[in-house]
Amino acid sequence: IHRLEESVVNRIAAGEVIQRPVSAVKELVENSLDASSTSINIVIKDGGLKLIQVSDDGHGIRYEDLPILCERHTTSKLSVYEDLQNIKSMGFRGEALASMTYVAHVTVTTITGGQLHGYRVSYRDGVMEHEPKACAAVKGTQIMIENLFYNMTARRKTLQNSADDYAKIVDLICRFAVHHINVSFSCRKHGAARTDVHTVATSSRIDAIKSIYGVSVSRDLIEVTASANDPTCLVFNMHGYISNSNYSAKKMTMVLFINDRLVECTALKRAIEVVYAATLPKASKPFVYMSIILPPEHVDVNVHPTKREVSLLNQERIVETVQTTIESQLRCSNSSRAFLPQQVGPKDLEQKKSTKDSEPNSSPSGSKSQKVPVNKMVRTDSKDPAGRMDAYLQDISIIKQKEKSSLSSMRCAVRQRRNPKETADLTSVQELLSDIDSKCHSDLLDIVKHCTYVGMADDVMALLQHNTRLYLVNVVNLSKELMYQQVLRRFAHFNAIQLSDPAPLYELITMALKEEELDSECKGNDHLKEKIAEMNTDLLKQKAELLEEYFCIHIDKQGNLCRLPVILDQYTPNMDHVPEFVLCLGNDVDWEDEKSCFQTISAALGNFYAMHPPLLPNPAGEGLQFYKKEIDHELLVEAETTWTQREWCIQHVLVPSMRLFLKPPKSMATNGTFVQVASLEKLYRIFERC
Ligand code: ADP
Ligand code: MG
């Protein structure tokens, strides 16, 4: 082992801070903003590899500071570590400029207020190449980065081949410009007369969005706000603009600032996507601008080398509150749309209002019920939950498939039918949806909307808290119903889960029949089973078109099951139940009457996607005996993962989706799905007597 030379260490560190040209631009623009500039102009040559030049009209850099300006860890923004807790400036590590000098040639021209002339000086590897030279200068600072990555051959080569660096830079400047509306920005290619972004300082956010993203975005926006001010658990303020039902785009644009920092937050983005996909399937790729302000001490800005991500205290709760707000505002603003399956009738609104009236103090997410003392607050895991899904499954966008497969006339016909004006032949789905509405139990609805997940009581019952009451709820029943309702809401608008290996229906059905036989413990006739499997396979092959168009269940010409629908985002069903599901499609669906056909298929899907207990016994409970007997370590590990995953899904997918989407039917009040087990008031009364 030997100690690396400092120059090597610095270059390695620099490669991490400055990953691509766009990261250098971000650092430079942030420096300009930190210097209170009101005008920032950017010029780029060769995607940033040849030249990045950022000029501002900020306060400039003092002559005395120039010698150490580009040394590592020199900054004017931070003195002691504690300052980080309240840091308002975007920079604080004093690393950006230094890093740039290790991977590029940096020239700084600057003038501070009241000076007659400015100075120009070039840097390499952290130090000045010569004494600062006096020169003419206009107010502010101009920084030129030339020949980026000149000494990192591999990176330069990969970047040279990528054409989109300039686009990334333009996108970045647009984002800054939407947020910092009191600063004017411009960005152009070197030598080009035309700018690709040009904004003037304004006081109206909408005007800024209009001038950057165009009127097609700005005319379809809804203003959203949310806030919480409970010092013991949650303090934040959110303001933003989100697109409405008329907006449509190929991909989601999410411009997020947290405490004025441009950041990404996967959890929040996904949460918003989920709401759009469920509420406005047609406009499911939204435009979102959002600014969240939190007490500085609740944000850890020092978790990512390029400060792209920040870590928040109570992230989950914030995400949840924002999600609920967006959902309700989307629904309320949805009056101009004529797409019936997602429309909220006046009845629902009244119901919402009355729940609010009766409980003026309840916050929209029900977060009141869970107060956490400040000293117990923890950071939550923002890692991408999708990573835990079964590895052999992948989500693919249905749109992609559409592009690939040839558009047959049949698809056109279906699309026409989806057109709101011609939905007459889908009244059956609307009827099924209004059946759900009319059967909804208003008290249970209030419970699911405002409940807090406590934990699992056993394999099927979960504990939910609602205000001062504790309920045992049957997860299987709830998830079955939720999936059923979501199938109808997403009807014909599903994304797809692609099976990596298409599964032959014939074998699936044979498997299911064998399992049934095991259950009933009687030996059946093999010939008969073959016949049933054959007939069912033929039947499903015949119905493939309908299954694919409306339910995204894709069966290929050879009779293999290839795709399944995404019913809840971030959730894939347990594939152990595929055989049973396929058999159920063959046996239990009524193919004659449209309404009951859709209803039975949706119910079959609901049953398949429901969160049944895994087949392996639960190692956390009595099931452990099973593994001791078998002494099968691998099986035990597998069982542990499956059960933990299921519980994670219940907490993070089922309960939040249930809050948003489930309309619990009246039957659930009496069939054991909801059982009240305790109420705080009564407990207090009992204890008072003691
Ligand atoms: P940091 O921003 O973390 O302090 P940088 O390496 O980005 O570190 O910048 C080092 C210092 O250089 C800053 O603290 C600031 O004082 C000064 N500086 C950089 N860019 C500018 C600018 N455009 N205008 C004024 N001062 C600047
Ligand atoms: Mg900086």
Side-chain angles (χ1 to χ4, degrees):
I1 299 176
H2 59 270
R3 206 173 290 281
L4 287 176
E5 276 186 33
E6 204 173 310
S7 62
V8 180
V9 175
N10 286 336
R11 208 196 288 177
I12 292 174
E16 201 175 312
V17 177
I18 310 297
Q19 291 170 346
R20 331 176 52 109
V22 68
S23 17
V25 177
K26 179 163 188 261
E27 293 291 344
L28 294 173
V29 171
E30 287 184 343
N31 278 348
S32 298
L33 290 167
D34 282 344
S36 320
S37 310
T38 59
S39 162
I40 301 174
N41 304 302
I42 295 118
V43 178
I44 303 292
K45 188 172 179 182
D46 221 358
L49 289 182
K50 269 253 144 43
L51 170 76
I52 296 171
Q53 178 183 303
V54 176
S55 322
D56 64 48
D57 63 349
H59 56 53
I61 303 163
R62 290 184 308 174
Y63 174 76
E64 309 85 272
D65 289 336
L66 289 174
I68 59 158
L69 175 71
C70 294
E71 266 177 39
R72 272 187 90 190
H73 311 307
T74 56
T75 178
S76 55
K77 301 166 192 173
L78 182 83
S79 310
V80 290
Y81 182 79
E82 285 65 34
D83 293 348
L84 249 193
Q85 284 207 337
N86 287 306
I87 195 101
K88 293 240 168 57
S89 62
M90 277 169 267
F92 53 83
R93 290 196 195 129
E95 244 177 1
L97 284 181
S99 300
M100 289 175 217
T101 67
Y102 285 98
V103 293
H105 303 129
V106 176
T107 306
V108 178
T109 311
T110 185
I111 183 169
T112 46
Q115 299 296 310
L116 292 175
H117 60 80
Y119 289 96
R120 174 170 304 145
V121 54
S122 301
Y123 295 84
R124 198 178 271 218
D125 296 343
V127 292
M128 294 201 294
E129 287 193 304
H130 51 79
E131 280 302 303
K133 290 183 188 143
C135 67
V138 287
K139 180 175 189 272
T141 306
Q142 182 193 71
I143 299 193
M144 275 203 309
I145 312 292
E146 288 167 292
N147 301 323
L148 187 60
F149 304 128
Y150 72 97
N151 51 2
M152 298 172 86
T153 332
R155 184 151 338 164
R156 201 173 162 91
K157 279 217 179 100
T158 40
L159 288 174
Q160 256 163 355
N161 296 334
S162 91
D164 59 357
D165 273 282
Y166 183 66
K168 284 202 166 90
I169 294 171
V170 169
D171 178 59
L172 175 85
I173 305 302
C174 290
R175 286 163 190 262
F176 272 121
V178 167
H179 186 70
H180 295 278
I181 53 177
N182 48 356
V183 179
S184 65
F185 287 87
S186 80
C187 178
R188 65 183 164 86
K189 279 189 181 160
H190 180 79
R194 221 191 71 237
T195 52
D196 295 293
V197 188
H198 185 90
T199 64
V200 286
T202 159
S203 54
S204 145
R205 179 93 50 209
I206 284 284
D207 284 350
I209 296 177
K210 195 194 301 175
S211 83
I212 298 156
Y213 291 100
V215 68
S216 61
V217 177
S218 66
R219 68 158 181 240
D220 289 332
L221 295 179
I222 313 166
E223 189 171 1
V224 285
T225 52
S227 60
N229 192 5
D230 183 344
T232 55
C233 68
L234 195 60
V235 185
F236 84 99
N237 240 313
M238 180 277 280
H239 181 252
Y241 288 93
I242 58 173
S243 53
N244 62 19
S245 55
N246 300 322
Y247 177 81
S248 81
K250 286 216 181 71
K251 64 186 214 315
M252 174 167 181
T253 307
M254 168 116 188
V255 181
L256 174 66
F257 281 79
I258 295 183
N259 285 6
D260 295 324
R261 280 166 198 284
L262 178 60
V263 289
E264 277 167 28
C265 177
T266 321
L268 184 60
K269 189 171 173 198
R270 277 185 182 255
I272 295 176
E273 262 174 335
V274 170
V275 174
Y276 271 87
T279 326
L280 308 176
K282 267 205 326 180
S284 64
K285 301 280 176 229
F287 172 93
V288 176
Y289 159 79
M290 190 171 283
S291 164
I292 299 181
I293 303 289
L294 299 156
E297 65 275 16
H298 286 193
V299 185
D300 186 351
V301 291
N302 194 23
V303 290
H304 194 275
T306 64
K307 294 167 260 162
R308 196 176 71 192
E309 274 171 34
V310 290
S311 152
L312 312 178
L313 206 59
N314 289 321
Q315 174 166 303
E316 260 178 26
R317 296 252 214 103
I318 296 175
V319 168
E320 229 177 84
T321 316
V322 170
Q323 193 181 37
T324 325
T325 310
I326 288 192
E327 201 237 345
S328 70
Q329 302 211 0
L330 270 186
R331 283 193 189 283
C332 295
S333 73
N334 206 8
S335 53
S336 67
R337 222 166 38 107
F339 195 64
L340 283 160
Q342 279 77 31
Q343 219 169 30
V344 176
K347 208 175 106 251
D348 299 39
L349 289 176
E350 256 165 40
Q351 216 161 28
K352 270 197 178 156
K353 241 173 68 198
S354 66
T355 15
K356 272 206 187 121
D357 292 346
S358 58
E359 269 180 0
N361 289 332
S362 71
S363 70
S365 67
S367 53
K368 271 250 157 170
S369 50
Q370 205 188 45
K371 279 193 186 169
V372 184
V374 181
N375 61 352
K376 295 257 171 74
M377 285 183 182
V378 289
R379 286 201 196 118
T380 50
D381 184 1
S382 61
K383 277 185 219 132
D384 187 0
R388 298 169 195 216
M389 294 298 163
D390 292 355
Y392 55 89
L393 296 169
Q394 51 183 152
D395 269 20
I396 50 163
S397 154
I398 194 165
I399 296 164
K400 242 191 189 160
Q401 306 155 23
K402 290 240 159 100
E403 279 167 1
K404 269 195 226 142
S405 65
S406 63
L407 285 171
S408 63
S409 55
M410 190 262 299
R411 281 177 195 281
C412 290
V414 170
R415 203 160 298 136
Q416 265 167 14
R417 259 177 282 158
R418 282 183 205 158
N419 187 322
K421 287 189 200 91
E422 296 168 42
T423 44
D425 51 346
L426 291 184
T427 35
S428 50
V429 177
Q430 289 152 28
E431 276 171 30
L432 288 169
L433 281 165
S434 43
D435 286 351
I436 294 177
D437 284 344
S438 62
K439 285 194 194 123
C440 178
H441 189 292
S442 58
D443 290 342
L444 291 184
L445 182 68
D446 186 47
I447 296 176
V448 292
K449 284 242 173 293
H450 303 295
C451 67
T452 316
Y453 174 79
V454 180
M456 290 302 290
D458 63 16
D459 294 352
V460 287
M461 302 304 270
L463 279 169
L464 294 184
Q465 186 192 319
H466 177 249
N467 295 335
T468 53
R469 284 179 293 276
L470 201 59
Y471 293 87
L472 271 176
V473 296
N474 184 316
V475 178
V476 178
N477 288 358
L478 279 177
S479 53
K480 201 183 287 181
E481 181 64 27
L482 176 67
M483 302 293 174
Y484 167 76
Q485 297 186 359
Q486 285 306 93
V487 171
L488 291 170
R489 288 187 194 113
R490 290 193 167 183
F491 190 81
H493 287 83
F494 293 98
N495 282 344
I497 299 171
Q498 177 87 24
L499 272 66
S500 52
D501 295 317
L505 293 180
Y506 180 83
E507 276 162 39
L508 290 174
I509 297 171
T510 321
M511 236 154 101
L513 289 170
K514 287 211 177 108
E515 256 165 50
E516 259 186 7
E517 191 182 78
L518 278 184
D519 281 350
S520 60
E521 282 182 12
C522 64
K523 238 180 121 35
N525 176 340
D526 276 353
H527 181 66
L528 186 66
K529 262 186 281 176
E530 276 166 26
K531 197 90 203 120
I532 298 178
E534 222 166 80
M535 274 167 61
N536 275 337
T537 311
D538 285 345
L539 173 70
L540 293 180
K541 268 164 54 183
Q542 272 171 34
K543 304 294 177 190
E545 219 170 86
L546 177 147
L547 289 171
E548 152 112 62
E549 279 308 317
Y550 294 141
F551 296 97
C552 190
I553 301 170
H554 179 78
I555 294 167
D556 68 9
K557 296 235 155 42
Q558 291 72 43
N560 297 313
L561 178 68
C562 310
R563 279 197 285 273
L564 287 167
V566 175
I567 297 181
L568 276 191
D569 297 277
Q570 304 187 31
Y571 178 72
T572 38
N574 182 347
M575 291 297 155
D576 291 341
H577 298 290
V578 175
E580 194 188 322
F581 166 65
V582 176
L583 182 63
C584 178
L585 276 188
N587 275 353
D588 303 347
V589 171
D590 169 3
W591 299 98
E592 299 305 316
D593 171 63
E594 183 179 284
K595 184 173 170 187
S596 87
C597 170
F598 291 160
Q599 202 248 335
T600 40
I601 298 178
S602 307
L605 276 167
N607 194 25
F608 170 28
Y609 280 59
M611 296 184 181
H612 299 281
L615 294 180
L616 287 167
N618 188 353
E622 283 162 13
L624 192 59
Q625 301 289 336
F626 171 83
Y627 300 97
K628 279 209 181 113
K629 247 190 287 162
E630 303 282 310
I631 328 179
D632 188 339
H633 183 66
E634 257 175 49
L635 210 58
L636 176 63
V637 173
E638 192 191 323
E640 266 167 5
T641 341
T642 325
W643 280 88
T644 332
Q645 261 178 10
R646 174 168 177 263
E647 185 166 352
W648 187 94
C649 262
I650 291 172
Q651 181 177 358
H652 297 280
V653 181
L654 177 66
V655 175
S657 317
M658 203 174 80
R659 271 191 216 123
L660 286 172
F661 310 125
L662 182 70
K663 300 216 168 125
K666 297 195 175 90
S667 57
M668 283 191 172
T670 47
N671 68 2
T673 306
F674 282 83
V675 184
Q676 186 185 322
V677 284
S679 113
L680 206 55
E681 295 91 341
K682 281 193 191 144
L683 285 180
Y684 267 104
R685 248 173 270 145
I686 294 169
F687 285 119
E688 264 165 7
R689 268 187 246 129
C690 297

